[in-house]
């Protein structure tokens, strides 16, 4: 097990190196330089030269790359050109926002998806099963941003039940020890803020969670159908165990194995792919940060941000693989 | 005619009804897939015959129509109302199908062809080449798809071709992995070993023995990729990275600023969204049906629907007996 983990960690090194080259090369390929963005069109050549020197853009490309590598490995990502704040600092406030959103979306998907998948499998072939299958297909066919817009229209504009943008009411003044607003509110014991934060979370979480919901429901259904016909389930039923015990202990517990893999992979995707949801709901997370950075040619943010997301994604996948090995003793990694 | 000859004829008659014919029969008996075909047929028809179906020029603005506020809903002259610049929404939706279809097809073709070549080479050549290609694919997969597409559009500049390439590139590693997997699975099959033993050259083995047998999952994936491509293209359009001319009737771009008119004209948000859902759902339904139809585990069985009808009674009795 340990050897498996170590080997997987070592495999990360070439991937990360390749990724850093790719990101670096891509950023150089972007039209327009940060000097243009920073200084506007009528900048004097001297000012441009100064900015280029300040960001090390006047050195040869390979020197720039090694500088980039050196600063990256020491976790010094520099200062955002747009906001003039340290990139690491911004990740510190932006990433919790995205994590909070992604975890809420996953929670939504699991709480609804597993029972739904289980029930449709139990009543395989029934009208309910057919409706469930169709619903899950529609679920993966709706663009996130369209679903987000519709949710906003119905629950914010028409019914006025829920707020439509941001993480928290702007008039609220609260402390953020962790930048996970739900945690912050609980830690500081500020219950009205907690309610406000949760209200802000609901719509984006549903919008982001709908695709994982559909996928979780389908995988659960397929897995339950598979497990249901296993010999040990038949044996359990034959020896007179109550149907509930068989379902809970023999069927569901084994059926959740493939579900756990999907959950891990989807969480990784949610963490990194929330750009559209964050845009629709003006969620101050990593996604909006990066898409703004692309428009602003914010090199330090792009270099750090994309690399950071990719590392998170790769690490989540690693955790998924390891937990899968732990959950399923039949798999042994030599 | 001898008995042997008759038998041979029978065998020949059976031979062509192999995987594909079998799959086709199962596909057209699957109600979901049929609905999918209908949806996609409508989508494609709209795209091809757009100038005939549309009632107005999709780019023609008519500010007179919105002097009384934005935006008038459906009427006799404008079947789905007009948008914030007085353009006919119905005609824009119909012409929008063109963009989605063409971008989708080109994007999937780019991803599929490059991915197939890379995957086939990696799987068949093995060794260092395999490692290099697949590590490159891993790196591409480590960047979230939409972010990669946004990044490519940002680097290449805005425009139709750039979007197609960007969405296509995102698909490359998916197809490469898929094909490498099936090539590896095929490679040690007896008929491949036999072909090698009689001296068929390696490229020839790859093209005429391995690829035809590895193609089924690629077709399924291709159909599903078409659905994802339409969504991704709309997503890029929504983020403002669509075709350069903002007047282009692209579905995602049409959704960009609709929020401003939520109070008076919610149909501006609803209609393009529904158009996207319908076309994407069509491809997803076909893809799902294909996956079931081409699944070798299900080969030779009757259609799912009829089978379920036949077994329904038995199953109900069984469950009743179980007390479940």
């Amino acid at each position: 097990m340990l050897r498996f983990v170590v080997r997987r960690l070592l495999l990360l090194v070439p991937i990360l190196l390749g990724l850093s080259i790719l990101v670096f090369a891509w950023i150089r390929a972007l039209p327009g330089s940060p000097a243009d963005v920073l200084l506007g069109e009528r900048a004097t050549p001297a000012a441009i030269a100064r900015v280029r020197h300040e960001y090390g853009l006047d050195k040869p490309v390979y020197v720039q790359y090694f500088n980039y590598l050196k600063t990256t490995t020491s976790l010094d990502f520099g200062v955002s050109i747009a906001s003039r704040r340290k990139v690491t600092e911004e990740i510190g406030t932006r990433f919790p926002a995205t994590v909070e959103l992604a975890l809420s979306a996953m929670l939504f998907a699991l709480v609804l998806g597993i029972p739904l998948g289980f029930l449709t499998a139990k009543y395989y072939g029934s009208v309910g099963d057919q409706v469930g299958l169709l619903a899950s297909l529609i679920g993966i066919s709706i663009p996130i941003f369209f679903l987000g817009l519709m949710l906003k229209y119905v629950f914010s504009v028409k019914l006025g039940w829920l707020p439509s943008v941001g993480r928290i009411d702007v008039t609220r003044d609260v402390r953020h020890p962790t930048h996970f607003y739900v945690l912050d509110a609980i830690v500081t014991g500020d219950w009205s803020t907690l309610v406000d934060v949760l209200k802000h979370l609901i719509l984006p979480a549903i919008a982001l969670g709908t695709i994982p919901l559909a996928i979780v429901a389908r995988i659960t259904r397929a897995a339950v159908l598979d497990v249901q016909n296993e010999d040990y389930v038949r044996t359990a039923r034959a020896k007179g165990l109550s149907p509930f015990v068989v379902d809970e202990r023999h069927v569901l517990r084994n059926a959740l194995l493939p579900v756990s893999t999907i959950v891990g992979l989807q969480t990784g995707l949610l963490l990194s792919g929330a750009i559209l949801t964050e845009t629709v709901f003006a969620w101050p997370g990593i996604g909006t940060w990066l898409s703004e950075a692309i428009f602003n040619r914010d090199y330090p943010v792009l270099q750090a941000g994309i690399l950071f997301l990719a590392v998170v994604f790769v690490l989540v996948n690693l955790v998924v693989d390891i937990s899968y090995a732990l959950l399923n003793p039949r798999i042994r990694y030599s | 005619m001898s008995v042997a000859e008759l038998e041979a004829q029978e065998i020949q008659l059976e031979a062509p009804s192999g995987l594909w014919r079998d799959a086709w029969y199962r596909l057209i008996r699957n109600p979901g897939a049929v609905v999918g075909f209908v949806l996609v047929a409508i989508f494609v028809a709209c795209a091809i015959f757009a100038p005939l179906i549309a009632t107005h020029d999709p780019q023609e603005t008519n500010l007179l129509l919105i002097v009384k506020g934005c935006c008038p809903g459906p009427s006799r002259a404008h079947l789905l109302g007009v948008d914030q610049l007085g353009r006919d929404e119905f005609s824009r939706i119909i012409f929008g199908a063109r963009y989605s279809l063409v971008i989708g097809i080109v994007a999937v073709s780019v991803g599929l062809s490059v991915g197939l070549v890379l995957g086939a080479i990696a799987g068949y050549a093995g060794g260092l080449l395999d490692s290099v290609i697949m590590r490159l694919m891993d790196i591409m997969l480590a960047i979230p798809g939409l972010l990669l597409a946004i990044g490519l559009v940002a680097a290449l500049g805005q425009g139709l071709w750039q979007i197609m390439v960007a969405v296509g590139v995102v698909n490359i590693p998916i197809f490469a992995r898929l094909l490498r997997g099936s090539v590896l699975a095929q490679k040690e099959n007896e008929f491949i070993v036999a072909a090698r033993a009689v001296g068929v050259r390696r490229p020839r083995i790859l093209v005429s023995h391995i690829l035809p047998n590895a193609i089924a999952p690629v077709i399924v994936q291709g159909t599903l990729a078409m659905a994802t491509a339409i969504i991704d293209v709309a997503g890029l359009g929504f983020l403002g990275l669509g075709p350069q001319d903002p007047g282009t009737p692209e579905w995602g771009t049409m959704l960009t600023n609709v929020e401003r008119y939520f109070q008076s004209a919610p149909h501006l948000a609803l209609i393009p969204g529904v158009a996207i859902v319908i076309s994407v759902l069509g491809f997803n339904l076909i893809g799902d049906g294909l996956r079931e139809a081409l699944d070798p585990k299900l080969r030779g069985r009757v259609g799912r629907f009829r089978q379920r009808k036949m077994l329904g009674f038995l199953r109900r009795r069984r469950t009743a007996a179980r007390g479940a």
Side-chain angles (χ1 to χ4, degrees):
Chain A
M1 193 66 210
L2 188 69
R3 277 183 60 192
F4 166 69
V5 174
V6 170
R7 210 177 58 204
R8 286 294 309 260
L9 281 173
L10 284 178
L11 264 177
L12 281 183
V13 176
I15 289 191
L16 292 182
L17 265 181
L19 199 69
S20 72
I21 294 177
L22 216 65
V23 169
F24 183 82
W26 164 69
I27 287 168
R28 303 298 122 164
L30 289 181
S33 77
D36 300 337
V37 176
L38 213 58
L39 301 168
E41 279 173 15
R42 274 175 290 177
T44 60
I48 291 177
R50 189 167 45 77
V51 169
R52 285 177 60 83
H53 182 72
E54 194 182 323
Y55 289 96
L57 297 172
D58 51 351
K59 300 197 179 75
V61 174
Y62 66 92
V63 177
Q64 288 184 38
Y65 174 70
F66 280 111
N67 280 340
Y68 163 63
L69 214 56
K70 208 161 62 192
T71 48
T72 304
T73 41
S74 57
L75 293 182
D76 169 22
F77 294 104
V79 177
S80 158
I81 295 177
S83 71
R84 295 245 151 221
R85 288 176 59 202
K86 281 183 87 174
V87 171
T88 37
E89 211 174 277
E90 282 209 65
I91 290 183
T93 60
R94 296 257 180 185
F95 190 55
T98 301
V99 173
E100 199 166 69
L101 177 58
L103 289 183
S104 316
M106 207 61 219
L107 194 71
F108 166 74
L110 289 178
V111 167
L112 277 179
I114 292 177
L116 215 66
F118 182 72
L119 287 175
T120 46
K122 282 255 102 177
Y123 299 97
Y124 174 76
S126 68
V127 177
D129 181 30
Q130 299 290 303
V131 172
L133 269 183
L134 185 67
S136 74
L137 261 183
I138 294 177
I140 56 171
S141 301
I142 300 182
I144 293 183
F145 56 96
F146 174 56
L147 182 63
L149 285 174
M150 287 294 106
L151 288 170
K152 244 170 126 169
Y153 176 70
V154 174
F155 294 101
S156 303
V157 178
K158 277 286 134 181
L159 298 172
W161 290 352
L162 294 164
S164 60
V165 289
R167 292 178 79 186
I168 193 166
D169 199 275
V170 282
T171 57
R172 253 171 220 283
D173 184 33
V174 281
R175 292 190 299 121
H176 297 300
T178 63
H179 289 289
F180 289 93
Y181 285 11
V182 175
L183 267 183
D184 289 344
I186 293 173
V187 168
T188 53
D190 189 347
W191 305 120
S192 74
T193 304
L194 181 65
V195 172
D196 184 55
V197 167
L198 288 177
K199 272 183 164 176
H200 277 86
L201 257 175
I202 293 176
L203 292 185
I206 293 177
L208 189 60
T210 296
I211 291 175
L213 165 65
I215 295 174
V216 166
R218 291 187 75 168
I219 302 279
T220 309
R221 175 178 175 274
V224 169
L225 284 178
D226 262 3
V227 174
Q228 241 176 0
N229 295 326
E230 292 284 344
D231 288 343
Y232 58 81
V233 173
R234 199 188 49 201
T235 309
R237 290 195 203 283
K239 72 181 182 189
L241 286 182
S242 83
F244 178 76
V245 172
V246 177
D247 280 344
E248 196 266 333
R249 201 175 293 167
H250 295 81
V251 176
L252 203 54
R253 197 171 287 184
N254 284 297
L256 286 183
L257 262 179
V259 178
S260 69
T261 333
I262 288 296
V263 168
L265 290 175
Q266 285 292 320
T267 312
L269 281 177
L270 289 186
L271 278 179
S272 47
I275 301 171
L276 288 165
T277 317
E278 290 186 0
T279 306
V280 172
F281 292 98
W283 194 262
I286 291 274
T288 42
W289 189 50
L290 282 180
S291 60
E292 280 163 23
I294 288 177
F295 288 108
N296 293 333
R297 303 275 172 270
D298 201 336
Y299 284 11
V301 170
L302 288 177
Q303 283 174 335
I306 293 182
L307 205 59
F308 175 75
L309 272 189
V311 171
V312 169
F313 190 57
V314 174
L315 283 180
V316 169
N317 282 355
L318 177 69
V319 172
V320 171
D321 282 359
I322 294 171
S323 58
Y324 194 65
L326 287 178
L327 285 173
N328 190 355
R330 278 171 293 190
I331 290 186
R332 284 280 168 245
Y333 295 92
S334 52
Chain B
M1 214 181 266
S2 73
V3 178
E5 266 173 306
L6 276 174
E7 268 179 356
Q9 261 185 347
E10 251 172 49
I11 291 165
Q12 267 194 339
L13 276 177
E14 289 217 331
S17 84
L19 177 68
W20 297 107
R21 208 163 139 188
D22 216 36
W24 173 248
Y25 279 121
R26 259 182 277 138
L27 196 60
I28 54 171
R29 285 210 191 91
N30 179 342
V34 172
V35 173
F37 275 122
V38 172
L39 294 182
V40 170
I42 295 173
F43 173 53
V44 174
C46 285
I48 294 174
F49 302 112
L52 299 177
I53 302 171
T55 50
H56 295 72
D57 176 351
Q59 306 239 31
E60 185 193 273
T61 57
N62 187 350
L63 295 176
L64 283 178
L65 288 169
I66 51 169
V67 281
K68 283 185 207 141
C70 175
C71 302
S75 65
R76 195 170 273 263
H78 300 278
L79 292 173
L80 295 174
V82 297
D83 70 0
Q84 61 269 34
L85 291 175
R87 294 172 294 203
D88 181 56
E89 188 78 358
F90 175 72
S91 306
R92 290 179 67 74
I93 290 293
I94 297 295
F95 271 94
R98 282 200 159 177
Y99 287 92
S100 286
L101 184 69
V102 173
I103 299 176
I105 288 178
V106 176
V108 173
S109 312
V110 168
L112 196 138
S113 47
V114 180
L116 282 194
V117 172
L118 288 178
I121 293 175
Y124 197 62
L128 186 66
L129 201 56
D130 181 25
S131 302
V132 171
I133 292 177
M134 291 327 284
R135 287 300 82 75
L136 194 66
M137 296 297 113
D138 284 348
I139 292 167
M140 283 173 72
L141 282 174
I143 304 173
L146 188 65
L147 190 64
L148 185 60
I150 293 175
L152 284 167
V153 173
L156 298 169
Q158 257 173 289
L160 277 179
W161 276 107
Q162 287 86 335
I163 298 172
M164 297 183 206
V165 171
V167 176
V169 168
V170 173
N171 275 314
I172 291 176
I174 300 170
F175 283 105
R177 279 198 160 184
L178 185 70
L179 206 80
R180 176 178 175 268
S182 19
V183 169
L184 282 182
Q186 299 282 333
K187 211 163 125 182
E188 302 307 323
N189 265 342
E190 275 162 19
F191 66 92
I192 305 294
V193 179
R196 205 181 301 152
V198 295
V200 183
R201 280 187 303 149
R202 281 162 64 97
R204 176 81 197 253
I205 291 183
L206 182 62
V207 172
S208 45
H209 294 269
I210 292 183
L211 285 187
N213 285 299
I215 215 73
V218 173
I219 292 176
V220 174
Q221 187 61 46
T223 319
L224 297 175
M226 192 64 198
T228 328
I230 294 176
I231 287 190
D232 283 351
V233 168
L236 287 176
F238 178 72
L239 288 173
L241 291 167
Q244 231 161 0
D245 172 11
T248 310
E250 194 273 318
W251 291 341
T253 315
M254 289 168 74
L255 281 168
T256 306
N257 284 321
V258 290
E259 266 183 78
R260 272 185 239 158
Y261 312 100
F262 257 175
Q263 286 291 354
S264 54
H267 64 275
L268 290 185
L270 191 64
I271 295 166
V274 169
I276 301 174
V277 174
I278 288 177
S279 48
V280 172
L281 184 64
F283 283 104
N284 274 333
L285 281 167
I286 295 179
D288 245 35
L290 272 173
R291 193 193 343 238
E292 259 170 52
L294 289 169
D295 189 344
K297 275 184 274 179
L298 300 172
R299 233 181 128 175
R301 282 204 216 158
V302 257
R304 203 162 55 109
F305 196 61
R306 207 203 297 169
Q307 183 195 0
R308 190 176 309 129
K309 256 189 188 162
M310 282 178 347
L311 291 178
F313 175 68
L314 284 174
R315 191 177 304 111
R316 269 195 296 280
R317 284 196 50 180
R318 239 187 6 229
T319 2
R322 249 190 234 145

